[in-house]
Amino acid sequence: MSKYLKVAPYKKRKLRSGDWIIISSSGNPLVIDAHTLRILCNKEINSDIFELHFIELLKEEGFLVDIYRLNRIPEEPTSFKFKFFSFLMLAIGGVSLLGVVYYILYSGLPFSKSINLLAANPILGVIILVIFSILTTFLHEVMHLIYSNSLKSQDNKINISMTKAVATVSMTHIWTWSLIGRIVAIVSGICLDLLILFIVFFFNQRIHFEYSSLLESILITRIVWQFRVQNKTDIRLFIELVRDDPFLFEKKTVSIKIINFLGFLVNILIILIWLVPLSNYLRM
């Protein structure tokens, strides 16, 4: 006698390819064809319909369960207020980017000054570096929580990896959102980074703060860090969202290899923007 399995609640959206992406309460995405989707639309399915390995995959990703769970899958807000603040965040990010570019062209990169400050007072410099990094990283991830509508979700936590020195939040559910909703959710963190960097640049031109160059260097490094697309960064997810392909970087196409190579060059760039000023300081 065949066993019937319950289909857990999920969200869905049709991709440009014609396939469908579905997201369960576990937050794991799965791309299926229209025929499979029609079967999953039932509240229960016969385990004999699919091959055993696919049944196991559906179980692992949270689409088939023994008991229904009440975990909420965050939906895209449709209120005018949320849309207004979404476009406002994009505008703030764009203006901040232009301001940051202007100040960098006007006053140059701050890494040489940062090396001098760290050499002159390493203890205070490291303390400022650590505190400011933690604070701005937390704010960056909070922006993702807000614009991915995850504050009320049961998965509304910031995951911290001390070994990788990164903090992340789960945002896979935004794959079922509209294009603008997906973009705002993923770039909101970088937009805030740019805003803070612009503010630091702005006040540094008017109010002298000895360690402002260190703050600028931290934020520039974090923003550039996101372009390491060979890793799971905001920019990588942004490219996947725009191309409407959640498994884009798993492909071995020439274009993906080039993009990954550029991401590798970003690693080298991050090392150089700190190493070159350090080498110049040591030669003095």
Side-chain angles (χ1 to χ4, degrees):
M1 190 173 186
S2 299
K3 181 180 178 181
Y4 279 81
L5 300 171
K6 292 181 173 62
V7 179
Y10 61 87
K11 298 294 182 181
K12 65 182 186 296
R13 182 178 65 83
K14 191 173 185 179
L15 300 171
R16 292 176 190 169
S17 63
D19 290 328
W20 290 79
I21 184 169
I22 56 176
I23 306 290
S24 70
S25 57
S26 68
N28 297 320
L30 191 64
V31 176
I32 59 176
D33 57 27
H35 173 69
T36 304
L37 179 64
R38 284 194 294 270
I39 296 175
L40 291 179
C41 285
N42 300 314
K43 293 183 178 180
E44 292 184 338
I45 65 170
N46 190 318
S47 59
D48 292 338
I49 294 178
F50 300 118
E51 295 182 2
L52 180 60
H53 77 276
F54 187 61
I55 289 292
E56 292 301 322
L57 176 63
L58 290 173
K59 288 181 179 179
E60 291 175 5
E61 304 300 341
F63 294 99
L64 295 180
V65 294
D66 295 324
I67 302 174
Y68 285 114
R69 297 180 180 179
L70 298 177
N71 291 354
R72 184 182 76 92
I73 304 174
E75 298 180 355
E76 181 178 3
T78 57
S79 66
F80 172 79
K81 181 172 70 173
F82 191 88
K83 291 182 178 179
F84 171 78
F85 281 104
S86 294
F87 283 104
L88 179 62
M89 179 51 62
L90 290 178
I92 289 174
V95 172
S96 299
L97 175 61
L98 294 175
V100 166
V101 171
Y102 167 78
Y103 279 117
I104 289 177
L105 293 176
Y106 176 76
S107 58
L109 291 171
F111 295 97
S112 294
K113 293 180 181 178
S114 296
I115 294 296
N116 293 335
L117 289 169
L118 288 171
N121 197 337
I123 296 178
L124 181 58
V126 170
I127 291 175
I128 292 175
L129 186 151
V130 171
I131 293 177
F132 188 72
S133 295
I134 293 174
L135 175 62
T136 51
T137 297
F138 173 76
L139 293 175
H140 177 105
E141 299 305 326
V142 167
M143 295 302 293
H144 287 319
L145 285 174
I146 293 173
Y147 282 97
S148 65
N149 196 25
S150 298
L151 286 176
K152 296 180 180 179
S153 171
Q154 295 183 10
D155 195 34
N156 63 343
K157 58 183 179 181
I158 299 176
N159 302 307
I160 300 175
S161 173
M162 298 303 295
T163 56
K164 296 181 180 179
V166 295
T168 59
V169 298
S170 176
M171 289 194 296
T172 51
H173 60 274
I174 67 173
W175 274 101
T176 61
W177 291 16
S178 66
L179 178 59
I180 187 64
R182 302 195 301 269
I183 290 176
V184 174
I186 195 59
V187 304
S188 56
I190 296 178
C191 287
L192 182 64
D193 292 339
L194 288 167
L195 174 60
I196 297 174
L197 179 57
F198 174 67
I199 291 173
V200 174
F201 269 125
F202 179 82
F203 282 102
N204 187 35
Q205 299 296 321
R206 290 155 179 80
I207 302 175
H208 176 70
F209 175 55
E210 186 178 4
Y211 288 87
S212 60
S213 60
L214 186 58
L215 307 185
E216 295 164 2
S217 298
I218 293 169
L219 286 168
I220 291 174
T221 302
R222 170 176 298 125
I223 293 169
V224 175
W225 184 272
Q226 296 292 345
F227 287 86
R228 298 161 49 257
V229 292
Q230 71 276 18
N231 299 102
K232 292 183 178 180
T233 61
D234 289 354
I235 296 300
R236 170 172 170 155
L237 182 54
F238 174 80
I239 295 173
E240 291 174 336
L241 290 169
V242 171
R243 291 288 300 273
D244 209 19
D245 187 347
F247 305 110
L248 177 66
F249 281 85
E250 295 181 11
K251 299 176 180 178
K252 303 301 181 181
T253 62
V254 174
S255 59
I256 294 302
K257 289 180 179 179
I258 293 174
I259 293 174
N260 281 327
F261 177 71
L262 293 176
F264 173 75
L265 293 181
V266 172
N267 281 334
I268 298 176
L269 175 63
I270 292 174
I271 295 173
L272 289 177
I273 59 179
W274 284 97
L275 185 60
V276 171
L278 177 60
S279 299
N280 293 336
Y281 175 83
L282 294 175
R283 286 202 298 265
M284 290 175 59

